[in-house]
Amino acid sequence: MALTTSVAGAKLIASSLYDLGVRVVFGIVGIPVIEVADACIERGIRFISFRNEQSASYAATAYGYLTGRPGVCLVVGGPGVLHAIAGIGNSTHNCFPLLLLGGSSESHQVYKGAFQEIDQVSTLTPFTKFAGRPASISLLPSTIEKAYRLAYYGRPGATYIDLPADYIQGRVDPSETQQLYPASAAPKIAADASRVKKAAQLIRNAELPLVIIGKGAAYGQAEGAIRELIDKSSLPFLPTPMGKGVVPDSSPLNFAAARSAILRTSDVILLLGGRLNWILHYGEPPKFKEGVKIIQVDIASEEIGNNNSGNVEYGLVGDIQLVTQQLSAELQDYRFSSIPSALIETREKNLAASETKANRTAMPLTYQHSYKIIKDAIRATKTKVIYISEGANTMDIARSAFDVEEPRQRLDAGTMATMGVGIGYAIAAAAACPDHLPVCIEGDSAFGFSAMELETATRSNLPMAIFVMNNNGVYHGVEPTAYSATYGNPLPSTALGFETRYDLIAEAVGGKGFVARTATELKMAATDALRNRAVTVVNVIIDPGAKTKLEFGWLASTKKKPPSK
Ligand code: ADP
Ligand code: MG
């Protein structure tokens, strides 16, 4: 009797995800998760089937960042889970919510050396907010619900669920399982009111207050509250690379073009959703002013005081949206109006210098001029864009070249400076925001990490415009003569193939490809890529920059020399 009303484990997993509100799952199938993916498709969940779990897991993290709900990734056990650990790392380090589902061997064969068996729960426990295996088929829904919730409640991160083959194939009476409901927004906490008062006082008394907007503010969808605070108080601000667009880059209060100067001189900083790691030079002099007071707003109290122990008393623990509203209320009648004219001049000077570089025509093409052409094409075609950027120089230069006006419209290599996220991120962006076109500004090396995912994109009808900045190398290339056997072999470790036809990879998988060596070719290709909304690769042949010295300015140590003994 029970058998007639029973439901397959695979279907139970799919309906659990569906009931929670999941509509897209990223992954790769194999034994034993094919039935799970097929049940998802049957239930009305889009399953985006990748070529490598690493990209699939990266895509799920970006989907989590863009939507504010965990991205879900489904993989096989053993090697599948190992590849997807890249996504777990990405999720944890960037604070993007991710739920990873991994197939595993039959529960009665555990520890016997079963097919693709590793102890995934033990392996992942140290690296996730929660990793578990439901104790029975009937506990699948409640365990999935817990893992889904834990991934995005509090500080977002990664969770893992093990799906044994016998659960997937087994059957259960649905009346024995927990009913699930659409997952709602994570509960928010506001900050301690007395600390908010103190922070507001600090801002009022500051000579040069500055707001730094991090990707936590973008993830927390706090743009409304932050825009209101900045508008009313006229506080100057700086976005971090992924904090761009929370307040439009075009705002006159944006001092990104005088970043070093304002960081060096501000005496009070309101840090909204950013960590004082390498991206913010650890908050230390000489990049930051000696004795600067940093009011750090973060959802994780554990973050307060990191590289900032002198400022612990100013930390505000809470959701950025709520805390910003609290601060706004305390700063009702406050308006900052004394931005030093020297700062404004520095900004004008730097902007003019970038413009000169961008307008400079050269053969081969430069990064700056290429970006200007792409930008003009975006403007001319009125394309709504999500920028995705990775690579060293490619990403560094693109960061300031492309203005971002809306939040969550720029994804990059992030906290771990991970190369290889680009195409997975673009797939996630196309799936999450179908009215936007992902525009990827990719270094040739970075692109190589996940180029095969172009096939995922074409097969899944997810359009994107990919510009591969091809300088034949990691950081920079070598002189063309270096490729001949008589000169310079072996090639340096940074060299890649000479003028590799990345555009043909797009053509091979049903997309479109262009090679652009000149401004005219690039303009035509960019316009086509933006208008036609295919999966397009524009192979932009740029100066190999072989004579450029490798510089790591972004990483330059800001630490003062330790005192000699
Ligand atoms: P960036 O790279 O832009 O500097 P980070 O990733 O270093 O940003 O920091 C983001 C921070 O934002 C994390 O410490 C995270 O805990 C925090 N955060 C995420 N969501 C929220 C939120 N809704 N409210 C407050 N803080 C948040
Ligand atoms: Mg390169």
Side-chain angles (χ1 to χ4, degrees):
M1 266 307 279
L3 272 184
T4 53
T5 56
S6 71
V7 53
K11 286 200 177 192
L12 190 60
I13 295 164
S15 62
S16 300
L17 293 171
Y18 190 90
D19 292 347
L20 287 167
V22 175
R23 293 295 178 270
V24 180
V25 170
F26 303 84
I28 304 185
V29 296
I31 293 170
V33 300
I34 299 176
E35 288 97 323
V36 178
D38 284 340
C40 284
I41 295 166
E42 200 186 311
R43 187 68 190 84
I45 295 174
R46 181 173 198 179
F47 182 73
I48 301 181
S49 175
F50 278 68
R51 306 304 300 262
N52 185 299
E53 290 90 356
Q54 184 175 306
S55 280
S57 65
Y58 287 154
T61 63
Y63 193 84
Y65 172 70
L66 291 170
T67 62
R69 297 295 152 81
V72 179
C73 183
L74 174 70
V75 299
V76 298
V81 165
L82 290 179
H83 294 170
I85 287 180
I88 298 226
N90 202 54
S91 152
T92 305
H93 284 263
N94 289 293
C95 308
F96 296 167
L98 165 73
L99 167 57
L100 180 67
L101 305 172
S104 64
S105 37
E106 279 85 356
S107 24
H108 62 271
Q109 283 171 345
V110 164
Y111 306 133
K112 285 171 63 182
F115 176 69
Q116 298 190 326
E117 182 190 7
I118 58 172
D119 183 351
Q120 287 143 192
V121 173
S122 307
T123 305
L124 294 178
T125 294
F127 306 110
T128 50
K129 295 177 76 179
F130 170 76
R133 168 187 286 215
S136 66
I137 306 185
S138 59
L139 288 175
L140 276 165
S142 55
T143 316
I144 289 172
E145 187 277 334
K146 183 184 176 84
Y148 186 81
R149 180 164 40 81
L150 292 188
Y152 79 112
Y153 275 33
R155 177 184 251 177
T159 57
Y160 173 75
I161 294 286
D162 218 33
L163 302 174
D166 49 327
Y167 289 16
I168 292 170
Q169 285 142 15
R171 300 189 74 89
V172 67
D173 185 334
S175 67
E176 288 169 21
T177 69
Q178 187 183 316
Q179 162 84 41
L180 301 186
Y181 302 95
S184 50
K188 293 177 178 167
I189 48 168
D192 175 338
S194 65
R195 279 181 170 242
V196 174
K197 271 197 173 29
K198 203 162 135 185
Q201 201 53 45
L202 213 55
I203 293 172
R204 280 176 192 278
N205 296 339
E207 238 170 79
L208 179 55
L210 169 68
V211 182
I212 297 181
I213 304 169
K215 66 174 166 314
Y219 171 77
Q221 307 190 0
E223 52 271 12
I226 297 176
R227 287 177 182 199
E228 195 178 321
L229 172 71
I230 302 268
D231 275 355
K232 285 201 175 142
S233 63
S234 268
L235 287 165
F237 74 91
L238 265 188
T240 66
M242 282 181 60
K244 277 163 79 79
V246 169
V247 180
D249 271 344
S250 59
S251 161
L253 292 163
N254 177 10
F255 276 79
R259 185 178 187 273
S260 305
I262 200 164
L263 278 183
R264 209 167 44 229
T265 44
S266 288
D267 57 337
V268 173
I269 289 175
L270 174 63
L271 175 56
L272 300 174
R275 284 165 287 179
L276 293 169
N277 56 17
W278 64 282
I279 290 182
L280 287 173
H281 317 287
Y282 316 104
E284 287 172 352
K287 293 275 188 185
F288 282 63
K289 191 182 167 82
E290 186 83 57
V292 60
K293 297 197 164 49
I294 303 178
I295 304 160
Q296 184 168 12
V297 180
D298 206 290
I299 203 166
S301 48
E302 295 90 333
E303 191 55 43
I304 308 294
N306 281 341
N307 300 331
N308 189 26
S309 57
N311 287 308
V312 170
E313 59 181 311
Y314 310 121
L316 298 176
V317 177
D319 175 76
I320 295 174
Q321 191 195 329
L322 293 186
V323 179
T324 304
Q325 283 164 349
Q326 288 178 289
L327 280 167
S328 277
E330 289 293 332
L331 292 167
Q332 277 282 342
D333 54 333
Y334 167 81
R335 200 168 172 86
F336 180 67
S337 57
S338 33
I339 291 180
S341 54
L343 263 182
I344 296 176
E345 280 159 30
T346 305
R347 181 171 68 176
E348 298 314 311
K349 219 177 75 202
N350 291 346
L351 285 172
S354 317
E355 202 166 313
T356 309
K357 266 193 191 160
N359 286 328
R360 197 178 293 142
T361 52
M363 269 294 284
L365 286 162
T366 62
Y367 285 109
Q368 287 86 353
H369 192 52
S370 305
Y371 292 167
K372 180 187 153 46
I373 295 165
I374 298 167
K375 206 162 110 173
D376 288 348
I378 290 170
R379 207 173 290 139
T381 54
K382 297 195 172 71
T383 312
K384 277 165 77 181
V385 159
I386 295 187
Y387 292 101
I388 290 150
S389 193
E390 57 175 343
N393 298 325
T394 300
M395 179 174 72
D396 251 12
I397 300 168
R399 184 172 44 247
S400 51
F402 294 94
D403 289 338
V404 182
E405 298 296 292
E406 297 294 331
R408 300 171 293 283
Q409 282 186 357
R410 186 182 175 284
L411 294 154
D412 70 11
T415 304
M416 284 212 292
T418 309
M419 299 307 147
V421 292
I423 311 305
Y425 276 14
I427 288 169
C433 315
D435 56 332
H436 286 65
L437 182 73
V439 167
C440 306
I441 312 289
E442 299 270 313
D444 49 349
S445 163
F447 176 70
F449 283 80
S450 53
M452 196 62 210
E453 300 304 343
L454 290 181
E455 192 275 325
T456 307
T458 53
R459 176 172 27 90
S460 313
N461 285 316
L462 294 168
M464 58 190 64
I466 300 165
F467 296 87
V468 178
M469 306 308 291
N470 190 350
N471 64 354
N472 314 319
V474 182
Y475 301 109
H476 57 65
V478 292
E479 296 290 343
T481 44
Y483 293 91
S484 73
T486 50
Y487 170 85
N489 266 345
L491 288 167
S493 61
T494 51
L496 295 171
F498 183 68
E499 296 192 359
T500 299
R501 293 291 305 276
Y502 298 111
D503 47 296
L504 294 181
I505 305 181
E507 304 237 327
V509 298
K512 287 183 88 173
F514 296 92
V515 181
R517 290 172 194 282
T518 65
T520 314
E521 285 170 354
L522 178 53
K523 185 178 169 185
M524 277 173 54
T527 308
D528 189 290
L530 297 165
R531 281 231 172 93
N532 291 327
R533 300 200 164 225
V535 173
T536 308
V537 169
V538 183
N539 189 0
V540 190
I541 308 292
I542 56 165
D543 187 347
K547 296 193 185 74
T548 324
K549 224 175 86 218
L550 282 184
E551 273 183 40
F552 301 91
W554 187 246
L555 288 174
S557 169
T558 57
K559 196 109 192 117
K560 282 177 287 184
K561 276 199 183 126
S564 49
K565 282 184 191 145

PDB file of all heavy atoms in Angstrom, residues 367 391-394 442-446 468-477 494 496 502 542-544, ligand 2:
ATOM      1  N   TYR A 367      45.059  48.585 -23.671  1.00  0.00           N
ATOM      2  CA  TYR A 367      43.892  48.296 -22.814  1.00  0.00           C
ATOM      3  C   TYR A 367      42.962  49.510 -22.789  1.00  0.00           C
ATOM      4  O   TYR A 367      41.759  49.410 -23.002  1.00  0.00           O
ATOM      5  CB  TYR A 367      44.338  48.051 -21.362  1.00  0.00           C
ATOM      6  CG  TYR A 367      44.997  46.728 -21.105  1.00  0.00           C
ATOM      7  CD1 TYR A 367      46.366  46.649 -20.846  1.00  0.00           C
ATOM      8  CD2 TYR A 367      44.247  45.559 -21.067  1.00  0.00           C
ATOM      9  CE1 TYR A 367      46.971  45.430 -20.564  1.00  0.00           C
ATOM     10  CE2 TYR A 367      44.844  44.336 -20.779  1.00  0.00           C
ATOM     11  CZ  TYR A 367      46.205  44.287 -20.533  1.00  0.00           C
ATOM     12  OH  TYR A 367      46.796  43.084 -20.252  1.00  0.00           O
ATOM     13  N   GLY A 391      41.611  38.679 -14.577  1.00  0.00           N
ATOM     14  CA  GLY A 391      42.918  38.851 -15.207  1.00  0.00           C
ATOM     15  C   GLY A 391      43.649  39.873 -14.368  1.00  0.00           C
ATOM     16  O   GLY A 391      43.044  40.533 -13.530  1.00  0.00           O
ATOM     17  N   ALA A 392      44.941  40.008 -14.586  1.00  0.00           N
ATOM     18  CA  ALA A 392      45.697  40.943 -13.750  1.00  0.00           C
ATOM     19  C   ALA A 392      45.530  42.369 -14.274  1.00  0.00           C
ATOM     20  O   ALA A 392      44.666  43.114 -13.818  1.00  0.00           O
ATOM     21  CB  ALA A 392      47.159  40.515 -13.710  1.00  0.00           C
ATOM     22  N   ASN A 393      46.319  42.740 -15.272  1.00  0.00           N
ATOM     23  CA  ASN A 393      46.214  44.092 -15.820  1.00  0.00           C
ATOM     24  C   ASN A 393      44.839  44.345 -16.406  1.00  0.00           C
ATOM     25  O   ASN A 393      44.278  45.418 -16.274  1.00  0.00           O
ATOM     26  CB  ASN A 393      47.280  44.297 -16.895  1.00  0.00           C
ATOM     27  CG  ASN A 393      48.675  44.158 -16.310  1.00  0.00           C
ATOM     28  OD1 ASN A 393      48.900  44.550 -15.173  1.00  0.00           O
ATOM     29  ND2 ASN A 393      49.592  43.588 -17.070  1.00  0.00           N
ATOM     30  N   THR A 394      44.310  43.327 -17.064  1.00  0.00           N
ATOM     31  CA  THR A 394      42.989  43.459 -17.696  1.00  0.00           C
ATOM     32  C   THR A 394      41.956  43.941 -16.687  1.00  0.00           C
ATOM     33  O   THR A 394      41.204  44.871 -16.934  1.00  0.00           O
ATOM     34  CB  THR A 394      42.565  42.090 -18.260  1.00  0.00           C
ATOM     35  OG1 THR A 394      43.545  41.687 -19.211  1.00  0.00           O
ATOM     36  CG2 THR A 394      41.210  42.146 -18.915  1.00  0.00           C
ATOM     37  N   GLU A 442      38.064  39.942 -20.136  1.00  0.00           N
ATOM     38  CA  GLU A 442      38.873  38.807 -19.680  1.00  0.00           C
ATOM     39  C   GLU A 442      40.320  38.904 -20.143  1.00  0.00           C
ATOM     40  O   GLU A 442      40.575  39.166 -21.322  1.00  0.00           O
ATOM     41  CB  GLU A 442      38.309  37.509 -20.290  1.00  0.00           C
ATOM     42  CG  GLU A 442      36.899  37.193 -19.905  1.00  0.00           C
ATOM     43  CD  GLU A 442      36.831  36.350 -18.650  1.00  0.00           C
ATOM     44  OE1 GLU A 442      37.580  35.354 -18.547  1.00  0.00           O
ATOM     45  OE2 GLU A 442      36.052  36.709 -17.763  1.00  0.00           O
ATOM     46  N   GLY A 443      41.233  38.650 -19.239  1.00  0.00           N
ATOM     47  CA  GLY A 443      42.601  38.439 -19.681  1.00  0.00           C
ATOM     48  C   GLY A 443      42.650  37.122 -20.450  1.00  0.00           C
ATOM     49  O   GLY A 443      41.815  36.243 -20.236  1.00  0.00           O
ATOM     50  N   ASP A 444      43.618  36.984 -21.348  1.00  0.00           N
ATOM     51  CA  ASP A 444      43.686  35.742 -22.133  1.00  0.00           C
ATOM     52  C   ASP A 444      43.986  34.547 -21.236  1.00  0.00           C
ATOM     53  O   ASP A 444      43.462  33.454 -21.430  1.00  0.00           O
ATOM     54  CB  ASP A 444      44.694  35.842 -23.297  1.00  0.00           C
ATOM     55  CG  ASP A 444      46.047  36.392 -22.887  1.00  0.00           C
ATOM     56  OD1 ASP A 444      46.184  36.905 -21.762  1.00  0.00           O
ATOM     57  OD2 ASP A 444      46.985  36.312 -23.710  1.00  0.00           O
ATOM     58  N   SER A 445      44.789  34.772 -20.198  1.00  0.00           N
ATOM     59  CA  SER A 445      45.078  33.684 -19.275  1.00  0.00           C
ATOM     60  C   SER A 445      43.832  33.316 -18.477  1.00  0.00           C
ATOM     61  O   SER A 445      43.434  32.146 -18.408  1.00  0.00           O
ATOM     62  CB  SER A 445      46.214  34.105 -18.339  1.00  0.00           C
ATOM     63  OG  SER A 445      46.253  33.268 -17.213  1.00  0.00           O
ATOM     64  N   ALA A 446      43.179  34.311 -17.907  1.00  0.00           N
ATOM     65  CA  ALA A 446      41.977  34.069 -17.089  1.00  0.00           C
ATOM     66  C   ALA A 446      40.900  33.350 -17.895  1.00  0.00           C
ATOM     67  O   ALA A 446      40.252  32.410 -17.407  1.00  0.00           O
ATOM     68  CB  ALA A 446      41.442  35.392 -16.549  1.00  0.00           C
ATOM     69  N   VAL A 468      38.298  39.136 -24.983  1.00  0.00           N
ATOM     70  CA  VAL A 468      39.528  38.538 -24.474  1.00  0.00           C
ATOM     71  C   VAL A 468      40.674  39.484 -24.834  1.00  0.00           C
ATOM     72  O   VAL A 468      40.954  39.722 -26.009  1.00  0.00           O
ATOM     73  CB  VAL A 468      39.778  37.143 -25.097  1.00  0.00           C
ATOM     74  CG1 VAL A 468      41.093  36.562 -24.573  1.00  0.00           C
ATOM     75  CG2 VAL A 468      38.622  36.207 -24.768  1.00  0.00           C
ATOM     76  N   MET A 469      41.283  40.055 -23.817  1.00  0.00           N
ATOM     77  CA  MET A 469      42.386  40.991 -24.043  1.00  0.00           C
ATOM     78  C   MET A 469      43.641  40.145 -24.217  1.00  0.00           C
ATOM     79  O   MET A 469      44.251  39.676 -23.239  1.00  0.00           O
ATOM     80  CB  MET A 469      42.513  41.956 -22.861  1.00  0.00           C
ATOM     81  CG  MET A 469      41.206  42.704 -22.523  1.00  0.00           C
ATOM     82  SD  MET A 469      40.426  43.537 -23.921  1.00  0.00           S
ATOM     83  CE  MET A 469      41.622  44.815 -24.206  1.00  0.00           C
ATOM     84  N   ASN A 470      43.980  39.938 -25.472  1.00  0.00           N
ATOM     85  CA  ASN A 470      44.979  38.924 -25.815  1.00  0.00           C
ATOM     86  C   ASN A 470      46.368  39.544 -25.962  1.00  0.00           C
ATOM     87  O   ASN A 470      46.688  40.143 -26.997  1.00  0.00           O
ATOM     88  CB  ASN A 470      44.533  38.231 -27.116  1.00  0.00           C
ATOM     89  CG  ASN A 470      45.377  37.019 -27.416  1.00  0.00           C
ATOM     90  OD1 ASN A 470      46.410  36.799 -26.770  1.00  0.00           O
ATOM     91  ND2 ASN A 470      44.950  36.244 -28.397  1.00  0.00           N
ATOM     92  N   ASN A 471      47.171  39.387 -24.918  1.00  0.00           N
ATOM     93  CA  ASN A 471      48.568  39.855 -25.019  1.00  0.00           C
ATOM     94  C   ASN A 471      49.545  38.678 -24.962  1.00  0.00           C
ATOM     95  O   ASN A 471      50.708  38.845 -24.641  1.00  0.00           O
ATOM     96  CB  ASN A 471      48.868  40.891 -23.925  1.00  0.00           C
ATOM     97  CG  ASN A 471      48.780  40.314 -22.514  1.00  0.00           C
ATOM     98  OD1 ASN A 471      48.392  39.160 -22.343  1.00  0.00           O
ATOM     99  ND2 ASN A 471      49.138  41.107 -21.516  1.00  0.00           N
ATOM    100  N   ASN A 472      49.030  37.498 -25.228  1.00  0.00           N
ATOM    101  CA  ASN A 472      49.864  36.286 -25.308  1.00  0.00           C
ATOM    102  C   ASN A 472      50.539  35.922 -23.994  1.00  0.00           C
ATOM    103  O   ASN A 472      51.605  35.326 -24.002  1.00  0.00           O
ATOM    104  CB  ASN A 472      50.984  36.425 -26.360  1.00  0.00           C
ATOM    105  CG  ASN A 472      50.501  37.000 -27.652  1.00  0.00           C
ATOM    106  OD1 ASN A 472      49.420  36.645 -28.125  1.00  0.00           O
ATOM    107  ND2 ASN A 472      51.275  37.896 -28.234  1.00  0.00           N
ATOM    108  N   GLY A 473      49.922  36.301 -22.875  1.00  0.00           N
ATOM    109  CA  GLY A 473      50.622  35.916 -21.660  1.00  0.00           C
ATOM    110  C   GLY A 473      49.899  36.228 -20.367  1.00  0.00           C
ATOM    111  O   GLY A 473      48.876  36.906 -20.330  1.00  0.00           O
ATOM    112  N   VAL A 474      50.444  35.671 -19.305  1.00  0.00           N
ATOM    113  CA  VAL A 474      50.002  35.972 -17.950  1.00  0.00           C
ATOM    114  C   VAL A 474      50.723  37.277 -17.578  1.00  0.00           C
ATOM    115  O   VAL A 474      51.949  37.349 -17.725  1.00  0.00           O
ATOM    116  CB  VAL A 474      50.438  34.853 -16.984  1.00  0.00           C
ATOM    117  CG1 VAL A 474      49.945  35.113 -15.564  1.00  0.00           C
ATOM    118  CG2 VAL A 474      49.969  33.497 -17.487  1.00  0.00           C
ATOM    119  N   TYR A 475      49.981  38.255 -17.094  1.00  0.00           N
ATOM    120  CA  TYR A 475      50.498  39.623 -16.875  1.00  0.00           C
ATOM    121  C   TYR A 475      50.837  40.270 -18.213  1.00  0.00           C
ATOM    122  O   TYR A 475      50.197  41.181 -18.646  1.00  0.00           O
ATOM    123  CB  TYR A 475      51.705  39.686 -15.926  1.00  0.00           C
ATOM    124  CG  TYR A 475      51.391  39.136 -14.570  1.00  0.00           C
ATOM    125  CD1 TYR A 475      51.913  37.923 -14.137  1.00  0.00           C
ATOM    126  CD2 TYR A 475      50.525  39.824 -13.723  1.00  0.00           C
ATOM    127  CE1 TYR A 475      51.583  37.410 -12.893  1.00  0.00           C
ATOM    128  CE2 TYR A 475      50.185  39.317 -12.474  1.00  0.00           C
ATOM    129  CZ  TYR A 475      50.720  38.107 -12.071  1.00  0.00           C
ATOM    130  OH  TYR A 475      50.388  37.594 -10.849  1.00  0.00           O
ATOM    131  N   HIS A 476      51.892  39.805 -18.882  1.00  0.00           N
ATOM    132  CA  HIS A 476      52.171  40.316 -20.218  1.00  0.00           C
ATOM    133  C   HIS A 476      52.809  39.220 -21.053  1.00  0.00           C
ATOM    134  O   HIS A 476      53.223  38.178 -20.534  1.00  0.00           O
ATOM    135  CB  HIS A 476      53.040  41.576 -20.176  1.00  0.00           C
ATOM    136  CG  HIS A 476      54.350  41.391 -19.466  1.00  0.00           C
ATOM    137  ND1 HIS A 476      55.330  40.557 -19.923  1.00  0.00           N
ATOM    138  CD2 HIS A 476      54.808  41.948 -18.321  1.00  0.00           C
ATOM    139  CE1 HIS A 476      56.354  40.602 -19.096  1.00  0.00           C
ATOM    140  NE2 HIS A 476      56.055  41.427 -18.113  1.00  0.00           N
ATOM    141  N   GLY A 477      52.870  39.471 -22.354  1.00  0.00           N
ATOM    142  CA  GLY A 477      53.410  38.454 -23.255  1.00  0.00           C
ATOM    143  C   GLY A 477      54.889  38.662 -23.525  1.00  0.00           C
ATOM    144  O   GLY A 477      55.561  39.419 -22.827  1.00  0.00           O
ATOM    145  N   THR A 494      55.378  32.928 -17.977  1.00  0.00           N
ATOM    146  CA  THR A 494      54.224  33.800 -18.186  1.00  0.00           C
ATOM    147  C   THR A 494      53.708  33.779 -19.628  1.00  0.00           C
ATOM    148  O   THR A 494      52.672  34.366 -19.917  1.00  0.00           O
ATOM    149  CB  THR A 494      54.585  35.255 -17.840  1.00  0.00           C
ATOM    150  OG1 THR A 494      55.795  35.576 -18.540  1.00  0.00           O
ATOM    151  CG2 THR A 494      54.779  35.449 -16.353  1.00  0.00           C
ATOM    152  N   LEU A 496      51.989  32.707 -23.113  1.00  0.00           N
ATOM    153  CA  LEU A 496      50.934  31.847 -23.668  1.00  0.00           C
ATOM    154  C   LEU A 496      51.113  31.845 -25.178  1.00  0.00           C
ATOM    155  O   LEU A 496      51.910  32.628 -25.715  1.00  0.00           O
ATOM    156  CB  LEU A 496      49.558  32.397 -23.298  1.00  0.00           C
ATOM    157  CG  LEU A 496      49.215  32.388 -21.810  1.00  0.00           C
ATOM    158  CD1 LEU A 496      47.929  33.160 -21.542  1.00  0.00           C
ATOM    159  CD2 LEU A 496      49.076  30.958 -21.296  1.00  0.00           C
ATOM    160  N   TYR A 502      41.134  32.554 -29.801  1.00  0.00           N
ATOM    161  CA  TYR A 502      40.064  32.301 -28.828  1.00  0.00           C
ATOM    162  C   TYR A 502      38.672  32.481 -29.448  1.00  0.00           C
ATOM    163  O   TYR A 502      37.709  31.848 -29.037  1.00  0.00           O
ATOM    164  CB  TYR A 502      40.224  33.224 -27.619  1.00  0.00           C
ATOM    165  CG  TYR A 502      41.524  32.992 -26.888  1.00  0.00           C
ATOM    166  CD1 TYR A 502      42.539  33.948 -26.895  1.00  0.00           C
ATOM    167  CD2 TYR A 502      41.749  31.802 -26.214  1.00  0.00           C
ATOM    168  CE1 TYR A 502      43.742  33.718 -26.239  1.00  0.00           C
ATOM    169  CE2 TYR A 502      42.948  31.561 -25.544  1.00  0.00           C
ATOM    170  CZ  TYR A 502      43.934  32.531 -25.571  1.00  0.00           C
ATOM    171  OH  TYR A 502      45.116  32.293 -24.921  1.00  0.00           O
ATOM    172  N   ILE A 542      46.152  42.833 -28.332  1.00  0.00           N
ATOM    173  CA  ILE A 542      46.742  44.046 -27.762  1.00  0.00           C
ATOM    174  C   ILE A 542      48.254  43.905 -27.669  1.00  0.00           C
ATOM    175  O   ILE A 542      48.813  42.811 -27.864  1.00  0.00           O
ATOM    176  CB  ILE A 542      46.159  44.384 -26.366  1.00  0.00           C
ATOM    177  CG1 ILE A 542      46.329  43.207 -25.401  1.00  0.00           C
ATOM    178  CG2 ILE A 542      44.685  44.777 -26.478  1.00  0.00           C
ATOM    179  CD1 ILE A 542      46.123  43.569 -23.952  1.00  0.00           C
ATOM    180  N   ASP A 543      48.870  44.994 -27.332  1.00  0.00           N
ATOM    181  CA  ASP A 543      50.322  45.033 -27.177  1.00  0.00           C
ATOM    182  C   ASP A 543      50.775  43.991 -26.159  1.00  0.00           C
ATOM    183  O   ASP A 543      50.300  44.008 -25.021  1.00  0.00           O
ATOM    184  CB  ASP A 543      50.681  46.458 -26.703  1.00  0.00           C
ATOM    185  CG  ASP A 543      52.178  46.691 -26.675  1.00  0.00           C
ATOM    186  OD1 ASP A 543      52.934  45.698 -26.769  1.00  0.00           O
ATOM    187  OD2 ASP A 543      52.576  47.860 -26.554  1.00  0.00           O
ATOM    188  N   PRO A 544      51.689  43.089 -26.523  1.00  0.00           N
ATOM    189  CA  PRO A 544      52.135  42.095 -25.539  1.00  0.00           C
ATOM    190  C   PRO A 544      52.795  42.735 -24.319  1.00  0.00           C
ATOM    191  O   PRO A 544      52.919  42.091 -23.270  1.00  0.00           O
ATOM    192  CB  PRO A 544      53.139  41.234 -26.295  1.00  0.00           C
ATOM    193  CG  PRO A 544      53.066  41.622 -27.716  1.00  0.00           C
ATOM    194  CD  PRO A 544      52.325  42.914 -27.843  1.00  0.00           C
TER     195      PRO A 544
HETATM  196 MG    MG B   2      47.323  38.295 -20.724  1.00  0.00          MG
END
